[in-house]
Structure formats: C-alpha cells, structure tokens
Amino acid sequence: GHERFECVAAIILSVMLFLTASIIGYSAIKNLFTTNNEIHFGIFAIIIAIISIVTKEAMYWYTKINADRINSNALLADAWHHRSDAFSSIGSLIGVIGFYYGYYILDCIAGIIICICICKVAFDIFNDAINKMIDHACSEEFENELITLIKKQEGILGIDDFKTRMFGNKIYVDIEIKVAGDDSLQHAHLIAHKTHDAIENIYPIVKHCNIHVNPGK
C-alpha cells in the first residue's frame, strides 16, 4: 500500500499550494485598497524579479519532466510550488513596472489573476490524488488499449472478464481469458504468461496483472 503515500504527499502539497495562492490573493486585495504611491523601486528590483522568474521556471520544468517520467503527483505538485514562486515574481515585476508608469493597480490585478491560476492547479492536483486514493477504474481509453493488446495475443479466443483499478499512481489488472478447451494446461499457462509479460512490458504503469484462464469451445 506504499503507493498511497504518493497521493497523501500530493494532497498535502496541493493544500500548501492553495494556501500560497490564498496569501497572494489576500495581499493583492489588501494592496488594492492600501496602495502606497510613495514607494519607489530601483532597477535592482527589476533585475532580482527577472532572475527569480527564470530560476523558478527552470526549476519547475526540471521537476515536471521528472514527475512525468515517474508518474509522480507529489513531484508534480512540488513543481507547481516552484512555478507559484515564479508567478509571484511575475506579479512583483508587473507591480514594479506599474509603479514606474503610475499604474499602481497593476500589481493587485496580477496578484488576483495569479491567485486564481494557482488555486485551479491546486484543485486539479488534489482531485486527481483523491481519485487515485479510492481505487477507481482506469480511463475507458486505457482499458480499450489493453483489451486490444490482449485480443492480439496468440491463442486467446476471447475475454470473459476484465477489470482495472488505480492504486496510488500504479494500475492493477484482473483478466479472465478464454483459450481452446482441448488445449494442454502447459500451453494455456504459456499463453497467460506471454499475455502477462506483454501488458507489463508495454505499460510499465501496470504494477500487477492477474490472468485467469477459462476453457472455451
């Protein structure tokens, strides 16, 4: 059951993302009514903001690529933490530019938009993690791909039963295949074994595939 720790971590990180977004949104709304027109920024503030944006965005893409590679929701949430920092820096940059040109409200508008974007991402990550916690079936598209692969295997006459379930970020598959009734036990086992290997080799996300053999006519 250790795969579920991945979901727990993703849920915790999504809540942290939501809190981060809330702080950004609260500050933006607060500044909307308390903007200090006497604040002045130098070119140094713009340089720091740009460096922060580039660095955090690079960290986002590095983490996201690895999250996609290992199918990790927790790592994806961590990647969005980096991007939320980049968004905050973008808001700061917009605010600095706005102050230069007298558009003091730009900082507040940027903060509110960033808050909404991060909240949307936090909700999507949270929802996906919850779905993976409750052992729901895989998507219809993925199931159809598996069924097509199974039917292509030599010696299989049909599929009597087929079930999939998500367990954390892994997939478990239970199948009942139909083979010739007069086939030998050894050959029937070989068909099931080859089908098992084909599924797990082509789809690494499938952690375990259980195949039961039924005699056909």
Side-chain angles (χ1 to χ4, degrees), residues 146-164:
L146 281 182
I147 290 172
T148 301
L149 175 64
I150 293 166
K151 288 181 176 180
K152 286 181 179 179
Q153 303 306 305
E154 184 179 354
I156 294 181
L157 303 180
I159 300 174
D160 289 337
D161 194 23
F162 178 83
K163 295 185 180 71
T164 63

Side-chain angles (χ1 to χ4, degrees), residues 26 56 179:
Y26 173 77
K56 285 298 183 178
V179 301

Side-chain angles (χ1 to χ4, degrees), residues 41-70:
F41 298 95
I43 191 66
F44 184 70
I46 296 178
I47 294 173
I48 291 298
I50 293 173
I51 292 174
S52 178
I53 293 168
V54 172
T55 302
K56 285 298 183 178
E57 185 67 10
M59 291 175 69
Y60 162 78
W61 281 107
Y62 175 80
T63 310
K64 185 181 184 301
I65 288 170
N66 284 281
D68 292 340
R69 181 174 59 84
I70 64 175

